[in-house]
């Protein structure tokens, strides 16, 4: 993961791709109201950051730090492939994050990230648009909790 300079997303993407570094900058659509008119615009899912793939054994990662638009590499250690793969699976070819699948009470889900990763359970409640309520079996006890929708996938 790479931290960007202010307003450096486009510049960093252009220069990193020119150096043959695979990059990934997931976007989502958000509603913006200007002059009383609402319209959809693209915004970065992780403002100020992009994902860059590079060989960690190769000393070439130092050239990323000196790329225009890049502030610094957050960590040269690789991020979990499940994390990046889960985000990429929900994005189209242009990097736009697809809206979450419609969920209903009783649907079976799998937690894909967070402290309950890889747990399979069913939806108990839908308290709001951002969270879901589930019942998780922890050490022989049933525990009610709520999870962010971006941490789950429908089975």
């Amino acid at each position: 993961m790479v931290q960007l300079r202010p307003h450096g997303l486009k510049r960093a993407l252009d220069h990193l791709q020119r150096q043959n570094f695979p990059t990934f900058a997931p976007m989502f659509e958000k509603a913006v109201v200007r002059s009383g008119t609402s319209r959809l615009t693209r915004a970065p899912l992780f403002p100020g950051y992009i994902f860059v793939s590079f060989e960690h054994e190769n000393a070439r990662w130092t050239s990323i730090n000196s790329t225009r638009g890049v502030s610094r590499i957050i960590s040269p250690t690789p991020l979990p492939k499940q994390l990046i793969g889960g985000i990429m699976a929900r994005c189209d070819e242009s990097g736009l994050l697809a809206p979450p699948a419609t969920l209903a009470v009783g649907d079976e889900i799998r937690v894909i990230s967070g402290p309950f990763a890889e747990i399979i359970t069913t939806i108990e409640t839908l308290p709001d648009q951002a969270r879901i309520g589930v019942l998780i079996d922890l050490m022989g006890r049933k525990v009610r909790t709520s999870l962010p929708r971006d941490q789950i996938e429908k089975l």
Side-chain angles (χ1 to χ4, degrees):
M1 184 171 248
V2 172
Q3 185 178 22
L4 302 172
R5 293 189 182 275
H7 309 289
L9 177 64
K10 181 159 177 27
R11 177 178 276 180
L13 286 173
D14 290 343
H15 287 279
L16 287 168
Q17 288 172 351
R18 198 171 295 144
Q19 296 175 57
N20 295 321
F21 285 109
T23 59
F24 178 55
M27 306 290 244
F28 72 101
E29 286 187 332
K30 70 176 186 177
V32 176
V33 179
R34 290 195 180 147
S35 303
T37 305
S38 178
R39 63 182 191 140
L40 291 176
T41 184
R42 285 185 169 205
L45 185 61
F46 303 104
Y49 300 92
I50 59 172
F51 298 104
V52 179
S53 178
F54 58 94
E55 293 180 23
H56 303 286
E57 296 81 28
N58 190 348
R60 203 167 157 234
W61 63 268
T62 56
S63 65
I64 295 172
N65 273 336
S66 61
T67 300
R68 292 176 183 246
V70 171
S71 176
R72 65 188 175 109
I73 294 178
I74 297 296
S75 174
T77 58
L79 293 172
K81 290 184 180 187
Q82 296 170 344
L83 172 71
I84 305 302
I87 297 171
M88 290 178 99
R90 285 198 44 208
C91 292
D92 63 9
E93 60 277 351
S94 69
L96 182 64
L97 190 68
T102 57
L103 299 173
V105 173
D107 285 348
E108 192 168 329
I109 58 150
R110 179 173 58 137
V111 183
I112 56 174
S113 64
F116 302 116
E118 301 304 318
I119 290 178
I120 296 175
T121 187
T122 57
I123 297 175
E124 267 203 341
T125 61
L126 295 167
D128 59 35
Q129 289 292 345
R131 302 190 70 79
I132 61 162
V134 295
L135 191 64
I136 296 178
D137 185 19
L138 290 176
M139 298 190 302
R141 296 185 67 198
K142 299 285 185 182
V143 178
R144 276 195 175 82
T145 188
S146 66
L147 300 169
R149 284 187 185 227
D150 62 347
Q151 287 186 359
I152 60 118
E153 72 178 357
K154 186 176 177 180
L155 297 179

